[in-house]
Amino acid sequence: RTMNKRTMNKRTMNKRTMTAVLLCGVCLSVAAQVDLRKSTYEAMLGARQEIPTTQKEDKDGIMSEAYWKRWNKKVQKKIDADIEKNRKTDAVVEIPDAKPGTAVKIRQTTSDFWYGSHIFNYNQLGNHESNEKYKSLFGNLFNSATVAFYWKNWESEKGRQRFREEVWDTEEWWNKQEDPYQYSHWRRPASDPVVNFLRERKLRVQGHPLVWGSRKWQMPLWTIEEMLSPEEQKTYARLVSKSPYFKNNREDNTHFKKEYHDMSVEQLEKAFPQLAENYQKYFDRHIRDIAEYYGDKIDSWDVVNESAQDYKSGALQRSKKLCKSVYGIMPGDFTCKSFKTANSAFPKSVKLNINDWLAEKSYADQTTDLLKRGCRIDLLGMQMHLFNPKQCADIAAGAAIESPEIEWGKIAVLSQAGLPIHISEITITAPSDDDKGRKIQAIIARNLYRLWFSSAPVAGITWWNVVDNCGAKGEPSTSGLFTRDMKPKAVFFALDRLINHEWRTETEAKTGKDGKLRFRGFRGNYELTYTDNAGNVKTVQYHAK
């Protein structure tokens, strides 16, 4: 049964769930699935595209001379030196059952650094072949994935949390839909199938987000209806320039009339007493429900998303029950209270993150302030979205946009909070959908990834929209690593070469006179293969920290 967006928001969903997907009537083992994804991934590498990495190699003039001057030899040498210093380690391994001088094959199997993307298009690309190519990326290119928990679509009806897969989450259902954008759960798959898929592959799982003020993407309409009394709903309707936000898809301060902007927070609290008492309780309930269900099955959470503007403007007031956020009315101290709720609800092994696009000192100050107030924050998320294709065209022409100095400066400022940094959402848009435009995208991505990877405070990088024309409405259509039919673009090959070749150690060394193996390599897990004293070929696991 095909349902449009309105029907899906209003009608009660079928409770039946699919617990297994059979391929040709036979359930594949996990090992067989891994092998299939590996072969699928390798097939995509068949016709590898190369991009110039220096001005000398750029014989077609893809990037301007001014661009290459910004990313000059001195900059590249610094990046190389920082990679050697910050990402590699000297390993010393005891090999007691092999004689000195034994040759050991050293093969890195995983990296401690996170190379990730969001996984919002799980089983939603319209055909089985594209979906399998998409899934093959996780474990072969990406070792980390961000899972969608946007509250508005994840619990569009109270109590109907989309943990489990239902009919309209299946690959079969999505393969029949001609226009996926008309459905409210496009890019919002049920969470269990995605989390289970990632855990089977032993990948890092990040949930995103728990608390965000955005009415367009995050706040369910039913919460607004419940939080406001009938009288408060009438008052609210008088203050906004459109319909009340419990009936409108998007609300923020731009929709409020002058009467609202002239009101003090004290006047708001008096006008909306029920909202003031209950608002934070809804966030807390949402956090606790998810924590109770998943426990430590999800490694990391963006607890609060994009609140730095409110901190910078002074809108967040710990003594008030409400505040005038950039999103509209929000709980007065929602950042601190949400982190404290998350800390009490999740196991201590689960990382709690703050995430924002505002890479300024005020964001570092906000994080420092929250830490001083007793909030547990383990990771600071730094976004970088080049949504406008013209931005990347300007970068190619030599404009000072996301230049090495700017990126180093942002990392230095955010490092003042004293936390590891996750480059959490990356959008780099091809300025044109042709060979040159795609190579511009790839060159920009390669240099930025190298700089971020080289920086000691950075723990990982997460690309955002993997497939063209699969972003949210309003996001660029050419910012993916793949075309809409899952054909690899130059940027995919650029990242694969970095992640799977340049930043992976595979070598051979001999044990010393003391029986110890010494080598220098990238931090991560290794397989060490050698022949022991009894003549047996052995493989042991080792983690180079």
Side-chain angles (χ1 to χ4, degrees), residues 228-254:
L228 292 168
S229 69
E231 188 61 34
E232 288 172 16
Q233 291 181 19
K234 292 177 184 177
T235 303
Y236 197 93
R238 193 180 74 244
L239 296 177
V240 294
S241 59
K242 295 185 179 181
S243 59
Y245 68 48
F246 52 88
K247 291 182 181 178
N248 190 17
N249 190 45
R250 179 169 185 169
E251 292 293 347
D252 54 38
N253 272 330
T254 62

Side-chain angles (χ1 to χ4, degrees), residues 77-87 408 454-455:
K77 283 183 178 180
K78 172 177 167 48
I79 291 172
D80 287 335
D82 287 347
I83 288 174
E84 184 68 28
K85 175 184 175 183
N86 298 323
R87 296 299 163 212
W408 281 321
S454 74
S455 300

Side-chain angles (χ1 to χ4, degrees), residues 118-121 130-138 486:
H118 77 54
I119 191 169
F120 297 173
N121 295 114
S130 291
N131 287 329
E132 289 305 302
K133 288 180 179 179
Y134 182 77
K135 291 177 187 177
S136 77
L137 300 172
F138 297 92
M486 283 302 291

Side-chain angles (χ1 to χ4, degrees), residues 253 265 306-317 323-328 332 334 358 360 362-363 365-366:
N253 272 330
V265 172
E306 297 179 358
S307 62
Q309 281 181 291
D310 287 338
Y311 179 85
K312 183 178 180 179
S313 70
L316 299 173
Q317 299 182 46
C323 75
K324 298 176 78 171
S325 164
V326 293
Y327 303 109
F334 71 92
L358 192 67
E360 298 178 1
S362 59
Y363 178 30
D365 290 344
Q366 178 193 21

Side-chain angles (χ1 to χ4, degrees), residues 359 403-414:
S403 66
E405 292 74 22
I406 288 172
E407 290 305 307
W408 281 321
K410 289 194 296 187
I411 291 168
V413 166
L414 296 185

Side-chain angles (χ1 to χ4, degrees), residues 11 54 95 149 162 210 244 367 395 442 444 478 484 500:
R11 296 185 62 174
T54 65
I95 310 286
F149 281 89
R162 297 181 60 243
L210 288 174
T367 305
I395 290 172
I444 293 172
T478 58
R484 184 61 177 84
N500 286 323

